[in-house]
Amino acid sequence: MKEIITVIKEQFDHIGMIFRMSRYEDKADYQSHYLGLAWQILNPAIQVGIYYLVFGVGLRQGQEVGDVPFIVWMLIGITAWFYVNSSILGASNSIYKQISLVSKMKFPVSVLPTTNIVGNLSSYFPMVAIVIGTVLFFGISPSIYWIQYIYYFICMISFLFSFGLLNATITILVRDYHIFLQSIIRLLFYISGAIVNIENSGLPDFAVKILRLNPIYYIIDGFRDTFLSREWFFEKATYSLIFWGIILILLILGSHLHMKFRSKFVDYI
């Protein structure tokens, strides 16, 4: 527990540096592009269009998901997925990528995964604005359920931080892990409900229940519950408890491994 408190305290103590580094990385990544930071919106928008043509028009032939237009259902899920996907992969490689900085300066290395997570918010929030605009365009009115967006946003950040810290540490210790993680993420895209309706996929009930234990599915489904006014998070208390139990386990493992090996990161590389 002491290790968890230390790691979390480092995030709050260096919150200013985290935001400054995230802004710098955003500018550095796109400084040689003519459209610059606009690609943070254009890139996911192009992918959304492709996925809608393939899955919505091609495979589903424009069929709704329940009584919700597929484009609305898909856009809510895939917006969260884009952010989760880029943050998981970016955070896992964040310490390795900045190892030259780590070797020259003294600062808590645990802030590097957080820097990546914060940096990706610059493309996530505009996509959320597009989601809200699309929801309203299709006649879905705001409701009291929308306030639980805050809860699911906290869930998403908590998952990304705990998982990112663990992944970033393992990537330093076992370099092949990052490649393995990329393969797992490709699989998770199809079984996390981002673009495929797991509950109506024809899978056996026990398989659906197992897939619902996936923290990413919990987050994506929660955002749909929010914007589509389906149910409160406390109405699925069992899955909520399981989700936070997984977060705690990831945080314990990530904090322990990070604090144990971070003084030797440069040596491992």
Side-chain angles (χ1 to χ4, degrees):
M1 186 59 68
K2 182 180 179 181
E3 294 167 327
I4 294 177
I5 295 174
T6 299
V7 168
I8 293 177
K9 186 176 182 297
E10 288 176 345
Q11 313 309 306
F12 286 101
D13 289 345
H14 297 82
I15 190 69
M17 184 176 68
I18 290 172
F19 278 95
R20 288 193 299 271
M21 290 179 64
S22 65
R23 286 197 299 268
Y24 173 79
E25 289 186 4
D26 285 341
K27 293 178 180 179
D29 288 340
Y30 294 96
Q31 65 178 353
S32 61
H33 299 74
Y34 288 112
L35 296 179
L37 295 176
W39 279 112
Q40 292 182 319
I41 307 301
L42 291 174
N43 187 43
I46 292 171
Q47 293 185 62
V48 167
I50 294 173
Y51 287 133
Y52 177 69
L53 289 175
V54 173
F55 290 91
V57 178
L59 297 179
R60 298 184 59 88
Q61 298 181 349
Q63 296 179 0
E64 297 182 341
V65 180
D67 57 352
V68 178
F70 180 76
I71 183 63
V72 175
W73 185 89
M74 182 196 75
L75 191 57
I76 296 173
I78 209 167
T79 295
W81 169 260
F82 283 152
Y83 178 64
V84 168
N85 174 59
S86 60
S87 296
I88 288 177
L89 294 179
S92 70
N93 209 33
S94 59
I95 299 177
Y96 182 86
K97 183 179 178 181
Q98 298 286 358
I99 196 62
S100 59
L101 182 65
V102 172
S103 62
K104 296 176 182 178
M105 299 178 61
K106 289 186 177 181
F107 68 96
V109 185
S110 65
V111 305
L112 292 177
T114 308
T115 299
N116 182 269
I117 295 169
V118 171
N120 289 327
L121 289 174
S122 59
S123 60
Y124 171 71
F125 283 134
M127 288 298 296
V128 172
I130 294 174
V131 168
I132 294 175
T134 305
V135 167
L136 297 176
F137 176 79
F138 281 92
I140 301 174
S141 301
S143 70
I144 189 66
Y145 285 92
W146 284 30
I147 64 173
Q148 70 178 350
Y149 173 83
I150 299 173
Y151 166 76
Y152 283 110
F153 180 76
I154 293 173
C155 288
M156 182 168 63
I157 296 300
S158 300
F159 168 70
L160 292 175
F161 172 71
S162 56
F163 196 39
L165 184 64
L166 177 62
N167 288 333
T169 304
I170 297 178
T171 297
I172 294 294
L173 303 178
V174 183
R175 187 57 190 152
D176 292 345
Y177 177 77
H178 185 70
I179 300 176
F180 170 75
L181 185 63
Q182 290 176 319
S183 301
I184 295 299
I185 290 296
R186 294 190 189 100
L187 173 62
L188 287 176
F189 175 67
Y190 296 99
I191 64 174
S192 295
I195 205 164
V196 177
N197 189 1
I198 301 298
E199 296 186 3
N200 293 329
S201 60
L203 293 173
D205 290 341
F206 76 90
V208 173
K209 290 180 179 179
I210 293 175
L211 292 178
R212 290 189 67 182
L213 299 178
N214 176 3
I216 301 177
Y217 178 88
Y218 177 83
I219 293 167
I220 291 176
D221 196 54
F223 283 129
R224 290 194 176 117
D225 288 340
T226 297
F227 289 114
L228 302 180
S229 304
R230 299 192 305 192
E231 64 178 341
W232 294 101
F233 68 90
F234 51 75
E235 293 183 58
K236 45 184 180 183
T238 300
Y239 287 106
S240 296
L241 290 174
I242 292 174
F243 172 83
W244 287 109
I246 293 173
I247 297 301
L248 182 59
I249 293 173
L250 292 175
L251 191 57
I252 291 173
L253 290 175
S255 300
H256 175 70
L257 288 177
H258 180 82
M259 296 301 292
K260 181 178 181 180
F261 292 105
R262 74 175 178 180
S263 61
K264 304 176 182 178
F265 281 163
V266 176
D267 297 333
Y268 277 102
I269 295 178

